[in-house]
Structure formats: structure tokens, C-alpha cells
């Protein structure tokens, strides 16, 4: 598990609190369905104890912006 | 205040990379006032260079990848001097990635090693430990002994020493691979018999074939290994991938080892790593071909492919299937099938996106076509300023009263006219 998180291809994943989640949705005037998704079984979020509907903040290393922030909502893997 | 502090104040408005570029390129002796001027100019320029809302970036991406794509070569490229190992590049590789193919033509890995090995220590041995070795590769010959109803295997001692295996290791792996057999060792020959004695020669023959394919050592699916020196350290290139098992090995640097199989990366490292892998793989091909495609376009495609939490190709089974509009799906591939399915399910097309609006000849929601006109309507007042409300109200009331009066007059006039005319008719 630790090995995966240290891998160069894997950016930092962080779970948003309910309050942060609400602020995010208000900021962009969107519902949670508009966010890109991440499966609950995704290897990179196994240590975060997530449930469906949680929002994951991802700090990507970007070649164009240095660091960019992306959000994904946790969905069940059908 | 130092220049750094002034620039850091703008960290919310500027991305990290521009801030770092600014810090690097500022002259050493500069007044605070000038720093502020420069930063403000940069902020202004940055905001101007941002893409406008409702710009159709997808079309720009399609053109920017498609046009240089016509110049791509169709052949595969060989590793330096080693003809046995070639890798698909160019257009076939791009198509492979964007289609989201599960079985790619040339799966391969770049395996980075930990310290003493990365400097070249025992590199041959390490490479052979990775390679999937079957019994037929370390055996000199297989005999069938008809008299004893057994298979005799003569081992290749040289090959065994090279990999660092003993005869006992081989016996163990044979026992692990095939159940219900007995293995005896004599000199360098292993004698394999079935526990249940048989007279059937066919069974012994099939046992021999099975024995040839027994997995002895290494990592499964790694067919070929090639140690090379790259940027001052030894790495191992392999054909065939098995990211999960390779990362478990103690001599492998598990933080940098990668595979070119996007789905394997997704399975082992997650969707974000898969997105990054798509970008790197496509960009690598573009650069090998000497094409200058901005990485932003590739990032957009990769984001679209990974938006649903799993890697989806740009095919009718992948991201096109997720489209909400029936007409948009039908316009891509297999229109009859899409429309038939939609009519069976009673789907509704709300004409919210681009293609379907082109089809029905309406303005498309792109660029200036996207924003709609919104007017805030308050009861009793349309437009106007705040104090105007009462004036208008009284005016409106007056005009309304006047109109009522006018209408009353009109009705009375017409009545009298009608009365007159009826009278004249009577006279006639």
C-alpha cells in the first residue's frame, strides 16, 4: 500500500471534509454529479477510508502549471 | 520586503510554475516598486492568455493532434542493436492508447533498481531473476522411458548456475506445478513418475509436454529482459509486463518502475496514475516522431478518458457511450443501433450539446452561442430604477383609467351609431 503512494505516477490524494465539499460545490455552482469520478476500489484511496459521495482532492504535478488541483467524487464500482 | 514575498502575495492568482519562473528570471538588484509592476503585468498577461469560457477546446485538441498525426510513420522501431525486441510506436501506438485496447501489441516495462544493483552489481543475475524461466529452458533433454513409464529430464548445469538455482529448487517447482507425481534425482537427471501407475503411453506423453511448461523461477509474463545503461544508471527493459509482482521484489525501485500497459497501471496504481501514464506514453511517441504537439491537448484527452473513474477508450464502447444525447451517440458510429435502442428505452434528447444542435439546425452552445439572456422579472415592474417604481405605478393607473374612459366613450358612440342606422333602415 505504501509502495503505491510513493510511486512517481501517483499524485497526492486527500479526502475533503463535508464542509470543504459544500464550499467546493458552491464555488463552482455545481451538483456532485458534475464532478469526475473515482472508483471506491481505486488502489490510491484505499488508506483514506472513503465512502460513496466523498470528494477526493488530488494535487497533480503538472508540466504546465507546476501544481494543479483536481477533484473526483467517490462512486461504487458497480 | 523581498521580491519573493511580493510575488508570493500573488500566489492565488498565478500558478506555481509562473511564480517559480518569475523568481528565477528576476534581476538580483531590483526595487520593490519595479517587482510589483512586473508581477502585475504578468498577472494581466496571464489572465489575457487564459482560454475564454465556452471556447470549444475539444475541437482545437482534435485538430492539433490530428494534423501532425498525418505525418506519423506506420512502422515499429527497434531497440539499439537488439532486433528481438521491438516496440510499437507512431500511429499504431497512438491508436492503441486512445482506443483503450486491453491487449497491447508490445507490452514492456522499465524496471529501475535499488542502489548497489543500479550501479551495475550482478546486473546479469538480477535480470535473469526477473525473466520467466520454464523447465524446458534449463533442461538439456527430455526422454520418455517406456520400460519404467517415466519421464527423464537432463538438466543444463551451466544454465542453472547462471540463474543461481540448485537441483532441489527445480524439484520443488516441479512438485508445485504438477500434482500427483514423484520426482527422483540422480546426478543431473530427474526421473518423474506418476504416483498412480499407468500403462497408457499417452498419459506419459502429455506429462512430458506439461513438464516442459513448468514455471521454475522469475516473474510471470516477463518474456525477455535487457539490461541497459541510461543516464548513468542501469535499468532493465523487459518485454511482457507484470507490474504488481515486479514491484514486490526487494531489489526493484518500486517508486519509479513503470509499465506501458495503461490498464495494468490503472489496476495497480489507480486512475490518476493511469491518466499520467496516458499523457507520458502519447507525449513520448509524439517526441520520437519529432512532432510538436502541446501537452495540454494530450492532457485534455487523458482527462476525458479517465473522467468516469476507469480508463475508457474513445470508441462507441468507451466515452461515447457515456454521452447523454441519443443524436450525439448516433452521429459517432452505428446510428441505427443507437436510435433503435433509444426508442426501445424511451429516451429523451434535450438538445443540450453541440452535435445534436448541428443536426437540427439550431445555434450550438459554443462560444457566444452558450450564454443565454436572463432577465430578472419583478411583479409590477419591468426594468427601471428603484425610485421609479411608484411613479410608474401611478402613471400606469392613470393611463389605465383613461383607456377605460375612452373605451366607454367608444362603446356609447357605437351604440348611438347602431341605433341611428337601425332607425334609418326602418325609414327605408
Amino acid at each position: 500500500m505504501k509502495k503505491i503512494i510513493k510511486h512517481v505516477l501517483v499524485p497526492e490524494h486527500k479526502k475533503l471534509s463535508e464542509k470543504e465539499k459544500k464550499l467546493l460545490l458552491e464555488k463552482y455552482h455545481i451538483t456532485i454529479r458534475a464532478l469526475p469520478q473515482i472508483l471506491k476500489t481505486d488502489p490510491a484511496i484505499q488508506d483514506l477510508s472513503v465512502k460513496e459521495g466523498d470528494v477526493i482532492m488530488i494535487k497533480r504535478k503538472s508540466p504546465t502549471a507546476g501544481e494543479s488541483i483536481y477533484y473526483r467524487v467517490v462512486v461504487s464500482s458497480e | 520586503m523581498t521580491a519573493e514575498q511580493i510575488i508570493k502575495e500573488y500566489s492565488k492568482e498565478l500558478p506555481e510554475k509562473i511564480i517559480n519562473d518569475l523568481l528565477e528570471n528576476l534581476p538580483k538588484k531590483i526595487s520593490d516598486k519595479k517587482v510589483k509592476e512586473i508581477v502585475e503585468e504578468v498577472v494581466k498577461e496571464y489572465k489575457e492568455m487564459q482560454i475564454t469560457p465556452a471556447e470549444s477546446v475539444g475541437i482545437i485538441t482534435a485538430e492539433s493532434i490530428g494534423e501532425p498525426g498525418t505525418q506519423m510513420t506506420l512502422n515499429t522501431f527497434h531497440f539499439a542493436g537488439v532486433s528481438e525486441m521491438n516496440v510499437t510506436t507512431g500511429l499504431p501506438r497512438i491508436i492503441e492508447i486512445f482506443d483503450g485496447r486491453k491487449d497491447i501489441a508490445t507490452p514492456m516495462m522499465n524496471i529501475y533498481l535499488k542502489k548497489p544493483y543500479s550501479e551495475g552489481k550482478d546486473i546479469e543475475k538480477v535480470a535473469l531473476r526477473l525473466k520467466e524461466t520454464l523447465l524446458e529452458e534449463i533442461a538439456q533433454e527430455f526422454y520418455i522411458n517406456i520400460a519404467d513409464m517415466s519421464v527423464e529430464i537432463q538438466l543444463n548445469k551451466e544454465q542453472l548456475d547462471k540463474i543461481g538455482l540448485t537441483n532441489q529448487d527445480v524439484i520443488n517447482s516441479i512438485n508445485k506445478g504438477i500434482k500427483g507425481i514423484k520426482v527422483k534425482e540422480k546426478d543431473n537427471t530427474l526421473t518423474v513418475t506418476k504416483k498412480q501407475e499407468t500403462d497408457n503411453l499417452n498419459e506419459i506423453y502429455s506429462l512430458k509436454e506439461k513438464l516442459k511448461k513448468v514455471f521454475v523461477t522469475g516473474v510471470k509474463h516477463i518474456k525477455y529482459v535487457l539490461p541497459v545503461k541510461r543516464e548513468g544508471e542501469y535499468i532493465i527493459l523487459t518485454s511482457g509486463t507484470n507490474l504488481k509482482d515486479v514491484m514486490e521484489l526487494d531489489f526493484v525501485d518500486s517508486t519509479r518502475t513503470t509499465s506501458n500497459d495503461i490498464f495494468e497501471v490503472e489496476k495497480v496504481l489507480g486512475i490518476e496514475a493511469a491518466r499520467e501514464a496516458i499523457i507520458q506514453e502519447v507525449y513520448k511517441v509524439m517526441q520520437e516522431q519529432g512532432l510538436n504537439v502541446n501537452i495540454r491537448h494530450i492532457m485534455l484527452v487523458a482527462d476525458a478518458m479517465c473522467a468516469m473513474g476507469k480508463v475508457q477508450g474513445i470508441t462507441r464502447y468507451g466515452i461515447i457511450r457515456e454521452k447523454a444525447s441519443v443524436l450525439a451517440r448516433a452521429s459517432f458510429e452505428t446510428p441505427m443501433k443507437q436510435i433503435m435502442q433509444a426508442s426501445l428505452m424511451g429516451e429523451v434528447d434535450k438538445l443540450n450539446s453541440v452535435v445534436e444542435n448541428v443536426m437540427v439546425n439550431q445555434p450550438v452552445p459554443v462560444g457566444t452561442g452558450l450564454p443565454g439572456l436572463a432577465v430578472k422579472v419583478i411583479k409590477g415592474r419591468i426594468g427601471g430604477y428603484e425610485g421609479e417604481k411608484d411613479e410608474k405605478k401611478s402613471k400606469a393607473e392613470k393611463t389605465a383609467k383613461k383607456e377605460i374612459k375612452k373605451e366607454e366613450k367608444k362603446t356609447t358612440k357605437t351604440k348611438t351609431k347602431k341605433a341611428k342606422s337601425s332607425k334609418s333602415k326602418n325609414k327605408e
Side-chain angles (χ1 to χ4, degrees), chain B residues 175 179-183 192-198 207:
Chain B
N175 278 326
K179 294 277 145 66
I181 50 162
K182 269 189 275 184
V183 187
V192 183
T193 46
K194 286 216 160 189
K195 270 181 186 165
Q196 283 180 316
E197 280 185 30
T198 54
L207 177 66

Side-chain angles (χ1 to χ4, degrees), chain B residues 110-121:
Chain B
N110 286 0
I111 300 174
Y112 288 83
L113 302 167
K114 277 185 183 155
K115 243 307 160 59
Y117 304 104
S118 68
E119 285 157 352
K121 191 196 166 206

Side-chain angles (χ1 to χ4, degrees), chain A residues 1-13 35-39 41-45 58-68 70-72 75 78, chain B residues 15-18 243 247-249 254-259 265-277 279-280 294-296 299 303 306-310:
Chain A
M1 210 56 246
K2 277 177 189 165
K3 277 183 180 175
I4 290 168
I5 286 158
K6 280 185 187 164
H7 199 279
V8 279
L9 289 178
V10 182
E12 186 191 336
H13 289 59
L35 285 174
Q37 300 170 350
I38 187 167
L39 299 185
T41 51
D42 196 282
I45 56 168
I58 297 153
K59 277 187 185 167
R60 289 172 174 173
K61 280 190 197 77
S62 158
T64 53
E67 187 182 276
S68 73
Y70 201 71
Y71 299 93
R72 283 180 187 273
V75 293
E78 282 138 282
Chain B
E16 200 186 271
K17 187 157 184 260
I18 292 185
L243 192 57
M247 276 172 72
E248 304 274 302
L249 295 170
S254 61
T255 62
R256 288 184 296 161
T257 297
T258 55
S259 163
V265 172
E266 185 203 354
K267 209 169 112 196
V268 180
L269 300 171
I271 188 72
E272 277 296 318
R275 184 199 92 106
E276 196 61 41
I279 296 170
Q280 285 184 9
N294 196 304
I295 199 163
R296 274 164 255 251
M299 284 159 83
D303 272 339
C306 297
M308 300 306 285
K310 52 189 182 244

Side-chain angles (χ1 to χ4, degrees), chain B residues 186-227:
Chain B
K186 200 185 173 190
D187 298 332
N188 259 330
T189 314
L190 304 178
T191 314
V192 183
T193 46
K194 286 216 160 189
K195 270 181 186 165
Q196 283 180 316
E197 280 185 30
T198 54
D199 297 332
N200 194 344
L201 198 64
N202 274 346
E203 273 183 48
I204 299 296
Y205 190 76
S206 70
L207 177 66
K208 183 189 137 194
E209 290 304 311
K210 256 191 203 169
L211 278 169
K212 278 185 183 174
K213 298 290 170 209
V214 164
F215 170 76
V216 181
T217 184
V219 181
K220 273 186 187 169
H221 306 303
I222 306 280
K223 298 270 153 51
Y224 189 83
V225 287
L226 178 72

